[in-house]
Amino acid sequence: MKRCLAVLVLLLATSALAEENAEGRFEKVVSRMVKAINEGNPADIGSDFDKTMEDFFPLEKRKPFLENLLAQYGKIQELEEPRLAQPGQAIFVAHCERGALDITVWLDDNDKVIGLLFLPHKPDIPVPEKNETNLSLPFKGNWLVFWGGDTKELNLHHDTPNQKFAFDFLGVDEQGKTGKGQAQVSEDYFAFGREILAPAEGVVTDVINGVRDNIPGSMNPYSALGNAVFIQHSEYEVSILAHLKFGSIKVKVGDKVKRGQIIGLCGNSGNSSEPHLHYHLQNTPIIQDGTGIKCYFEQVTLLKKGKEKLETDYSPVKGDIVFTK
């Protein structure tokens, strides 16, 4: 059985650089690295390393790594276009003479390598073009679509692969307001404490609990999802419902849930500045390996200028106020 070639991960910081022409940044660096690998030149493998990465993976470690790589896989013959997993990170599929590798690279804002991972290639998980499971909105009452749609302008999540088609829903009153007064505490927001429902039947695969709710305006990136529930509807369709209220989750891993069943209450936990529900559909319960699926809800009532309009097979967009009884 072949051993993993190398696991060299050193994350010093998350790159804040805008991802304009991000693919080009990574392609230049990885192309130089591949050239060095194919030429059997361990010194040049590290030509784009930052200082800490050079210390972590010095020349004397690169030599046996390169020998092992070429012995197992041979030269790299082709690189597929990179997949941007998150800001500052890209994954390349490298087709070699004897197999394929997944090469993951992390870059800092100066295009220096701060993390590197070589693993045997994992075949892509199928991604449905849209949801095949019939979905209902995961709540009742009036909600504003704060983020939702197919572009970065409409959807802040658009550049994150597993959240590409995510929604952020804010609870509103009949006047479209999200809170009362100056809304200084979570309880002042209309979303806080509202029931969150399973959008379709399925099996609970993951539950995150025990994350306290934030004071509005304070965000918790260390536990980004906050309290969350994952529901697997089919082999390649998994609902993620996040930022739930501390202590409110009513299901556990392995539970079978029905559409419309209460799974918890809306909260303000995780990387959330005010109470809201984050919802997206992805193709695996492994959150970091997922690819987002565009989802259409079976029935959605839109509120526009005091009038109700029923839409079927509808995917909400930023600015919509959606309603369900």
Side-chain angles (χ1 to χ4, degrees), residues 144 247 267:
L144 169 69

Side-chain angles (χ1 to χ4, degrees), residues 171-173 175-192 194 216 274-275:
V172 295
D173 64 6
Q175 286 72 47
K177 295 181 179 179
T178 60
K180 53 188 177 183
Q182 295 183 356
Q184 296 180 342
V185 296
S186 290
E187 288 78 4
D188 290 336
Y189 289 84
F190 299 126
F192 193 74
R194 286 189 182 179
E274 69 175 88

